[in-house]
Amino acid sequence: MNYKLYADCAASQFKCCKKLGNGGFNFRCPYCGDSQKSSTKARAYLFCKNGFYAFKCHNCGKGKSLIGFLGDQVHDLYAEYLQGLQDTQTRPNAPTRSMK
């Protein structure tokens, strides 16, 4: 499964999203909203470690696997992931919808 494509699609939906050189993403945290004083601060990250993506916010401390993050915040991608699991009985293919 290509988790990077799911991470690409998910991260692009959040404010102040920036792609990082290491293949990760930085954006405003959808859980805490980051700084109340500055709308440009973004302390949440989707990053790859050992081939798997994870979410971490350095403001509120929330951390989740990519799939857990999708289940909480990007319901349509999560549903697509689950459908892919059911369809293949193994690992799903890449998401079918395009990045925004």
Side-chain angles (χ1 to χ4, degrees):
M1 164 182 222
N2 192 343
Y3 289 105
K4 182 178 181 341
L5 293 176
Y6 280 94
D8 285 346
C9 290
S12 67
Q13 296 184 18
F14 297 102
K15 293 179 183 178
C16 300
C17 180
K18 295 176 190 159
K19 189 168 186 166
L20 305 175
N22 61 5
F25 298 89
N26 172 233
F27 50 91
R28 287 182 63 83
C29 178
Y31 295 101
C32 72
D34 285 319
S35 174
Q36 299 303 314
K37 294 179 185 176
S38 173
S39 62
T40 60
K41 287 192 178 176
R43 297 186 188 126
Y45 295 87
L46 274 177
F47 61 95
C48 185
K49 186 170 184 178
N50 299 327
F52 294 98
Y53 275 82
F55 167 83
K56 177 70 176 173
C57 176
H58 293 285
N59 189 51
C60 66
K62 189 79 142 174
K64 290 187 171 267
S65 68
L66 174 63
I67 302 308
F69 178 72
L70 293 178
D72 282 354
Q73 298 294 326
V74 192
H75 304 290
D76 53 344
L77 274 179
Y78 183 68
E80 192 172 316
Y81 171 82
L82 292 179
Q83 184 63 44
L85 282 178
Q86 291 175 350
D87 290 348
T88 62
Q89 293 292 327
T90 57
R91 294 196 172 246
N93 295 323
T96 57
R97 82 172 202 193
S98 63
M99 290 176 48
K100 289 185 177 181

